């Protein structure tokens, strides 16, 4: 499409030839404007309505290239074709299946395009597309219904269309469209999008439904794949939330263990600086606990050595047998066991503190 001459392209796509030019359509629009002016003049050229009509711009065309439905309708009358509103009560009462028609003209917000049957297949001949878009028979009614829901006005073209090469060729063969045509300018936009990171949903669709060129892309399948990708994304989000909850629970357990381990220094005798214990580092607390256990161990050793010395003095006053002192006494064995137990407790606490 060039400029805003969608009405010209709509007519030529319908007739499959360069039958109308902007100049010819402008002539039809000017003729309609003159007919309307003459009807308004019948009420008096000096009337307020007539002067207001002359001041208003034309409703049949504008400088952008837009042409009204009256211009299109008059242009088709040259070919013996007539336009009927598709959603009018009169046409709906006929109950005609859209498949049995030959062509439609659609309009929305000053844009016109043709939907026509060529051979035995339907095509969307929108001039904003890079090429014709194949429409299956089962999808035609849904396509028209979707246009109506979006606010399009649809007109049924009644009459015999002129012969064209495309219609004759497609009467003998059926085409299969491998890829839908893109909108004009869409390739440039896609090239820009390719430089941006794609969403997880689009990547999942591509993985689950790669295009292999074997046939047209089924819309239901595409919607299903998109819904599937979204559901998988929601599941992943739920898994991430579960992992986060577990991490929070583990963190809370770790903080409780830290509180329990932090309560151990309470058994340490307080010094003159005990009021500053909370501000001490964990390494300082560990050294203090270690010094405390070493002091406790030394006190126990001193207490155990006192009876040993007394016993040794008693034994030395007598006449021992040769080799008697080589054997370990019960007190020595008990002292060794206590030392081993204290050492084990100290090592365990040190390892817990390092963890």
């Amino acid at each position: 499409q060039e400029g805003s001459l969608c009405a010209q392209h709509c007519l030529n796509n319908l007739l499959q030839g360069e039958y109308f030019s902007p100049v010819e359509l402008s002539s039809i629009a000017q003729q309609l404007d003159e007919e309307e002016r003459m009807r308004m003049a019948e009420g008096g050229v000096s009337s307020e309505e007539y002067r207001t009509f002359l001041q208003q711009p034309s409703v049949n065309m504008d400088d952008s290239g837009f042409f009204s439905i009256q211009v299109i309708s008059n242009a088709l009358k040259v070919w013996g074709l007539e336009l009927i509103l598709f959603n009018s009560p009169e046409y709906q009462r006929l109950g005609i299946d859209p498949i049995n028609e030959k062509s439609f003209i659609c309009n929305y917000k000053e844009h016109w395009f043709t939907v026509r049957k060529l051979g035995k297949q339907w095509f969307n001949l929108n001039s904003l597309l890079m090429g014709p878009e194949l429409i299956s028979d089962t999808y035609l009614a849904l396509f028209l219904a979707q246009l109506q829901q979006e606010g399009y006005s649809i007109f049924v073209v009644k009459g015999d269309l002129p012969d064209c090469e495309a219609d004759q060729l497609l009467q003998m063969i059926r085409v299969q469209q491998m890829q839908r045509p893109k909108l004009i300018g869409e390739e440039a936009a896609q090239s820009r999008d390719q430089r941006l990171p794609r969403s997880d949903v689009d990547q999942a669709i591509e993985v689950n439904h790669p295009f292999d060129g074997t046939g047209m892309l089924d819309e239901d399948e595409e919607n299903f794949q998109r819904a599937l990708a979204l559901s998988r994304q929601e599941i992943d989000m739920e898994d991430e939330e579960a992992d986060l909850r577990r991490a929070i629970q583990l963190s809370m357990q770790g903080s409780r263990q830290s509180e329990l381990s932090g309560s151990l220094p309470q058994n340490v005798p307080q010094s003159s600086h005990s009021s500053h214990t909370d501000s001490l580092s964990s390494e300082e607390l560990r050294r203090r606990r270690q010094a405390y256990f070493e002091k406790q161990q030394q006190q126990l050793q001193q207490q155990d050595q006192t009876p040993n010395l007394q016993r040794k003095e008693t034994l030395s006053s007598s006449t021992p047998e040769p080799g008697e002192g080589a054997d370990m006494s019960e007190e020595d064995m008990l002292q060794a066991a206590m030392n081993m137990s204290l050492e084990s407790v100290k090592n365990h606490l040190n390892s817990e503190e390092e963890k």
Side-chain angles (χ1 to χ4, degrees), residues 36-267:
E36 293 176 2
R37 187 193 66 79
M38 293 176 62
R39 286 196 297 270
M40 293 296 298
E42 293 176 357
V45 294
S46 59
S47 64
E48 183 69 24
E49 291 81 4
Y50 183 75
R51 289 196 298 267
T52 303
F53 172 79
L54 293 179
Q55 294 175 357
Q56 292 178 349
S58 172
V59 296
N60 294 304
M61 68 175 182
D62 58 23
D63 295 337
S64 67
F66 167 76
F67 295 99
S68 66
I69 180 62
Q70 289 82 5
V71 175
I72 295 177
S73 177
N74 281 19
L76 291 178
K77 288 180 179 178
V78 178
W79 295 90
L81 301 173
E82 181 185 2
L83 294 179
I84 300 177
L85 190 61
F86 176 68
N87 55 353
S88 64
E90 293 78 12
Y91 180 79
Q92 292 296 325
R93 279 197 294 266
L94 299 177
I96 302 176
D97 193 333
I99 298 179
N100 297 328
E101 299 292 352
K102 296 180 180 179
S103 58
F104 301 92
I105 287 181
C106 309
N107 169 258
Y108 179 66
K109 291 185 177 180
E110 301 185 353
H111 177 64
W112 300 92
F113 69 91
T114 294
V115 177
R116 174 176 170 169
K117 191 173 189 178
L118 293 169
K120 299 179 181 179
Q121 294 175 286
W122 284 90
F123 294 90
N124 176 14
L125 304 180
N126 193 332
S127 56
L128 293 179
L129 296 175
M130 298 294 293
E133 179 184 16
L134 181 64
I135 301 177
S136 64
D137 292 348
T138 56
Y139 184 61
L140 177 62
L142 295 176
F143 179 76
L144 297 176
Q146 181 180 356
L147 291 180
Q148 284 183 305
Q149 187 176 6
E150 294 176 358
Y152 276 81
S153 298
I154 303 176
F155 300 90
V156 184
V157 181
K158 289 293 187 180
D160 295 330
L161 295 170
D163 293 335
C164 64
E165 182 180 359
D167 185 65
Q168 296 173 0
L169 182 62
L170 294 179
Q171 290 287 350
M172 298 180 291
I173 62 173
R174 293 180 64 88
V175 299
Q176 186 177 20
Q177 191 166 40
M178 298 300 180
Q179 189 173 3
R180 290 182 180 178
K182 298 178 181 179
L183 288 171
I184 296 175
E186 186 177 0
E187 291 184 353
Q190 284 186 348
S191 63
R192 291 193 301 268
D193 295 340
Q194 287 175 357
R195 293 192 293 266
L196 300 175
R198 293 176 300 171
S199 65
D200 296 337
V201 176
D202 294 334
Q203 293 179 7
I205 292 174
E206 183 176 349
V207 172
N208 288 281
H209 191 70
F211 182 74
D212 54 5
T214 57
M216 289 189 62
L217 182 64
D218 185 78
E219 288 198 350
D220 294 336
E221 179 67 17
E222 181 181 354
N223 293 333
F224 172 75
Q225 293 295 339
R226 183 172 293 274
L228 181 61
L230 288 173
S231 65
R232 288 179 178 174
Q233 189 179 40
E234 293 175 357
I235 292 174
D236 292 340
M237 293 175 62
E238 292 176 357
D239 291 341
E240 291 177 0
E241 293 177 356
D243 293 339
L244 179 60
R245 288 195 296 269
R246 286 195 294 270
I248 292 175
Q249 292 175 357
L250 290 174
S251 176
M252 294 175 65
Q253 291 176 1
S255 63
R256 288 196 294 268
Q257 290 178 357
S258 300
E259 293 174 358
L260 292 175
S261 62
S263 63
L264 290 175
Q266 295 177 359
N267 297 325

Side-chain angles (χ1 to χ4, degrees), residues 328-344:
M328 185 179 292
S329 63
E330 293 181 359
E331 287 86 359
D332 294 336
M333 295 177 63
L334 180 61
Q335 178 63 34
M338 293 178 63
N339 292 340
M340 292 176 62
S341 177
L342 286 171
E343 187 68 19
S344 176

